[in-house]
Amino acid sequence: MKYIRLTRQQLEEMHQEFINFLATQSITAREWELLKKTQPEVAEEELDVFSDLVWEGVLGKVTYLENISAQHMHLFHLSEKEMKLISVKVLNPDIDLNTSVGFNWFKKNWQSDFVEYLNASKAYTEDKNLDKFKLIQEGAVITKGELYQWFEKIIG
């Protein structure tokens, strides 16, 4: 398995897509139930293959990721050729960007000496989607990129 298996909830939400996937494998609903009982390892492999296909589809479309912690924001633009990063560091230890109070402080003080910025870019490895997935595993979430785009205009 290349990525991680989808959670039970994710699989339930993708029930119809999974049925379609099984159909492409020529597996009927009755055969699937039998497979789960008689060959659970094969059923597990089918879940893994389906999960990887879903992840490939999602990661292929991801353009922006954000990883925000108490004093850091890592904003990624995943362009065709490279990963671009805008890194924001808040030097005020009393501020937690994950709270509304902390983020509001940041919006008012983003130009102060208590905030540092860094721009960087990095080429992908031979597996662009795996690079994106690793960022997600490290805590990044998929976004529409509003925060990155705002910063790009301001400090770009």
Side-chain angles (χ1 to χ4, degrees), residues 3 21 61 64 73 76 83 88 108 121 130 140 151 153:
Y3 304 109
F21 167 77
K61 295 176 185 169
Y64 294 97
M73 277 191 262
F76 299 93
M83 298 181 277
V88 179
K108 292 176 189 161
S121 61
L130 193 54
F151 275 112
K153 286 177 189 159

Side-chain angles (χ1 to χ4, degrees), residues 71-75 86-90 97 106 115-118 151 155:
Q71 266 88 38
H72 291 90
M73 277 191 262
H74 293 104
L75 311 172
I86 296 175
S87 178
V88 179
K89 182 177 182 181
V90 174
L97 294 169
F106 172 76
V115 182
E116 291 180 348
Y117 299 96
L118 171 74
F151 275 112
I155 65 171

Side-chain angles (χ1 to χ4, degrees), residues 97-114:
L97 294 169
N98 289 312
T99 67
S100 58
V101 171
F103 203 78
N104 284 335
W105 176 92
F106 172 76
K107 287 194 285 189
K108 292 176 189 161
N109 296 283
W110 64 271
Q111 289 182 300
S112 77
D113 290 340
F114 288 102

Side-chain angles (χ1 to χ4, degrees), residues 12 18-19 26 33 60 66 78 81 87 101-102 111 115 125 132 135 141-143:
E12 287 171 3
F18 186 65
I19 290 171
S26 300
E33 291 305 317
E66 292 178 2
L78 307 168
K81 297 186 190 301
S87 178
V101 171
Q111 289 182 300
V115 182
T125 65
K132 295 175 184 181
L135 292 172
V141 294
I142 299 168
T143 69

Side-chain angles (χ1 to χ4, degrees), residues 47-153:
L47 289 171
D48 290 347
V49 170
F50 178 72
S51 294
D52 278 350
L53 285 172
V54 170
W55 274 111
E56 281 290 330
V58 168
L59 294 167
K61 295 176 185 169
V62 171
T63 308
Y64 294 97
L65 293 173
E66 292 178 2
N67 191 342
I68 300 175
S69 64
Q71 266 88 38
H72 291 90
M73 277 191 262
H74 293 104
L75 311 172
F76 299 93
H77 178 215
L78 307 168
S79 68
E80 191 60 36
K81 297 186 190 301
E82 63 185 358
M83 298 181 277
K84 297 177 182 175
L85 166 70
I86 296 175
S87 178
V88 179
K89 182 177 182 181
V90 174
L91 304 174
N92 182 339
D94 298 328
I95 298 303
D96 183 345
L97 294 169
N98 289 312
T99 67
S100 58
V101 171
F103 203 78
N104 284 335
W105 176 92
F106 172 76
K107 287 194 285 189
K108 292 176 189 161
N109 296 283
W110 64 271
Q111 289 182 300
S112 77
D113 290 340
F114 288 102
V115 182
E116 291 180 348
Y117 299 96
L118 171 74
N119 278 328
S121 61
K122 178 181 175 185
Y124 293 108
T125 65
E126 67 279 350
D127 192 335
K128 184 189 304 188
N129 283 349
L130 193 54
D131 293 340
K132 295 175 184 181
F133 183 74
K134 286 177 181 174
L135 292 172
I136 291 170
Q137 279 194 306
E138 292 169 3
V141 294
I142 299 168
T143 69
K144 294 179 181 171
E146 291 100 342
L147 204 48
Y148 181 97
Q149 293 167 16
W150 182 80
F151 275 112
E152 191 175 42
K153 286 177 189 159

